[in-house]
Amino acid sequence: MRTEMVVSAAVLALVCGTTLAQWNPSARQWGKTDARDLRVMTWNVRDTICSTNTKTEGFNDWTATARIVAAFKPDVLILQETGDNSGNGTGSGVDSVATLTTTVNQWLRGGTGITAFVQKYDASYDLPFVFVSNSNDGFNRNIILSRYPFIDLNGDGRSQVSDLPFISADLYAPGGTGGIRGFQFAEIDLPNALYRGDLVVGNGHLKSGGATADFTDRLNAAKNIAYYIDYLFNGGPAGTTPDPRVRINDAPAATRVLDAFTPVIWGGDMNEDENSNGRDGPVHWMTRADGTGGTDRDRSFATLDDARTPFANNRTTQSSSKLDYLMWQDSIATLRRAFIFNSTDPGMPATWYPNEIVGYLGGAATISSTASDHRPVIADFVLPAPPPPAPGAFNLALPADGAIGQSLTPVLTWSASSNATSYTVRISLNSDLSAPIVAVPGVPGTSLGLGSGVLSECATYYWGVTAVNGVGSTASTPAVFSFSTVIPADYDGSGFVDSDDFILFAEQFALGCDGPGSPDPACVKSADYDTSGFIDSDDFILFVERFNAGC
């Protein structure tokens, strides 16, 4: 269950800043179409981010990767092949988690003697939350970086796993874990003001190689990953309890499945091109499982990207193959766009390069090949928006509270309530509005006129209004006003019937008064009590009857 999170000025600034960089590559703008879209980027950086690498501005992979990430500004960045000093040719061994975490922070924000880093090229951009996997193959590690903090979403007491827990063989899952380098997952707390749910992100680097054992290893890992997503996060076919078949060694055990607005998005270097491998490979298994039900929350197939370079429409991410993928639960996360960045995209004009890349010492066109032998896959997702707030406070207006002598066909009015979609009006003879004689839901505006035959003379009525929308309702302030309808024998309009009314009527009757505006200025009230058009004994008789009745 996600915690409430106040959106800080920093978060709002990040969102507002993103709106300035719209999607228009031909004008060097590669930003999100909508600031609320969530951008996820996967990239195998080929040993660039390791503690012994050169960290100075130049024609080198450290500078190239920093500039590229600054250019595309993902909200979540998943990296593979990090921490390998031997592979980079600048040292030996794999960095520890602590050392690699320090190195990532240097790559993002610089430090003593470091002259190339992400924030040098965009000082406003940051990924403050870093999760370095403790799983490695003796050479490299996986990393998840996030704009937003990590949080435990499924109740197992942790927000991060470096590799999915051991799975006992079940259904299509052969059993085991996420492969040679592990498959990490992070649960992320998205700001409540921007998103209705939260996010789970997975990241992995499946085994490379073309031998039969390599193909088997990748497929086994993918089947376990599919099972983990579907049965731990989704809760399997029933969708109510995590690990319902008790096959996942999740200790402590998760206590809840993800809510209906929190998707799983995962990806990485899968080391197989699903268009040319001649089989249902790891990506297909991770999205479709065994085909009888996929890994999406609604038990359909999850989706894999078909990202292309924006200019030449090229799908390759490594050499002539697409090995790098993003996958997502499309019943919750809707893809806005997915693309691949390759600075050598055939025919792409120089005017398309993002500003953060212009000025690279090796030339903007060389930056991709210098950074890595893989090209990043970037996707923008539309996630469920938060519901609107409940209707705001509002006031009753007319008839004013305690008003007397009101028409039997009054128009009730009130001020507007923010976020209201309609109003419900109640009128009752009881001050708590119980047993209403009028109950009108769905009033679209801020007034309601009553027709004849609803109200009676000489009565006190209570009325109130409730503002309504899809989230809830809000009662008016105050909740109840009262008014009294016209009292015919209240000839002087005092609100009650007494001798003053009789005396005034008798005076006006004796004068034959037609009311205000008549030739005689003493005619302050019309004595044509029965409204017949002339004054006679019938007026006096009717008034006396009403006076004796007190109404």
Side-chain angles (χ1 to χ4, degrees), residues 377-391:
V377 177
I378 304 159
D380 294 340
F381 296 98
V382 180
L383 300 184

Side-chain angles (χ1 to χ4, degrees), residues 129-404:
F129 303 99
V130 178
F131 168 31
V132 175
S133 172
N134 63 25
S135 294
N136 69 87
D137 59 355
F139 300 97
N140 52 60
R141 301 179 186 274
N142 300 319
I143 303 176
I144 296 175
L145 301 94
S146 172
R147 183 190 297 264
Y148 305 114
F150 304 123
I151 188 174
D152 174 23
L153 296 176
N154 64 5
D156 62 4
R158 56 187 176 272
S159 61
Q160 307 160 18
V161 293
S162 290
D163 187 16
L164 52 98
F166 186 87
I167 296 172
S168 300
D170 187 42
L171 302 176
Y172 55 81
T177 59
I180 187 172
R181 300 176 181 92
F183 207 96
Q184 64 178 158
F185 285 89
E187 298 160 31
I188 297 175
D189 186 12
L190 299 182
N192 298 351
L194 302 179
Y195 307 100
R196 188 163 187 175
D198 294 300
L199 176 68
V200 172
V201 171
N203 176 34
H205 184 188
L206 300 188
K207 194 174 189 297
S208 62
T212 300
D214 301 326
F215 277 83
T216 301
D217 189 276
R218 287 194 290 272
L219 211 60
N220 286 343
K223 292 177 180 180
N224 289 332
I225 294 162
Y227 187 93
Y228 182 77
I229 292 171
D230 192 26
Y231 280 84
L232 188 79
F233 294 124
N234 296 350
T240 55
T241 304
D243 190 22
R245 298 173 64 84
V246 196
R247 295 294 190 274
I248 302 171
N249 187 28
D250 187 37
T255 59
R256 54 184 176 267
V257 299
L258 300 180
D259 67 54
F261 306 103
T262 296
V264 182
I265 300 173
W266 68 104
D269 180 356
M270 302 298 110
N271 267 311
E272 277 193 38
D273 189 329
E274 294 288 348
N275 283 17
S276 60
N277 58 1
R279 66 171 185 165
D280 284 346
V283 173
H284 282 277
W285 268 96
M286 281 189 277
T287 54
R288 302 179 183 182
D290 62 355
T292 62
T295 53
D296 202 344
R297 189 66 51 80
D298 62 1
R299 303 292 296 160
S300 67
F301 295 165
T303 298
L304 63 151
D305 79 85
D306 185 28
R308 308 293 178 107
T309 56
F311 190 82
N313 201 40
N314 191 316
R315 66 179 292 276
T316 62
T317 62
Q318 201 269 349
S319 185
S320 59
S321 300
K322 177 174 170 60
L323 305 183
D324 305 271
Y325 290 87
L326 286 170
M327 293 154 273
W328 63 93
Q329 295 178 328
D330 58 86
S331 66
I332 304 173
T334 301
L335 181 69
R336 171 90 65 184
R337 73 172 46 84
F339 64 97
I340 295 167
F341 177 71
N342 185 350
S343 63
T344 59
D345 195 18
M348 186 172 74
T351 55
W352 281 44
Y353 295 123
N355 289 322
E356 295 83 357
I357 288 172
V358 174
Y360 176 60
L361 293 181
T366 70
I367 196 167
S368 287
S369 57
T370 308
S372 174
D373 59 342
H374 287 252
R375 307 294 171 255
V377 177
I378 304 159
D380 294 340
F381 296 98
V382 180
L383 300 184
F394 68 104
N395 306 109
L396 300 180
L398 297 174
D401 192 24
I404 61 175

Side-chain angles (χ1 to χ4, degrees), residues 450-462:
L450 296 182
S452 59
V454 178
L455 305 183
S456 301
E457 297 176 343
C458 309
T460 297
Y461 293 97
Y462 301 88

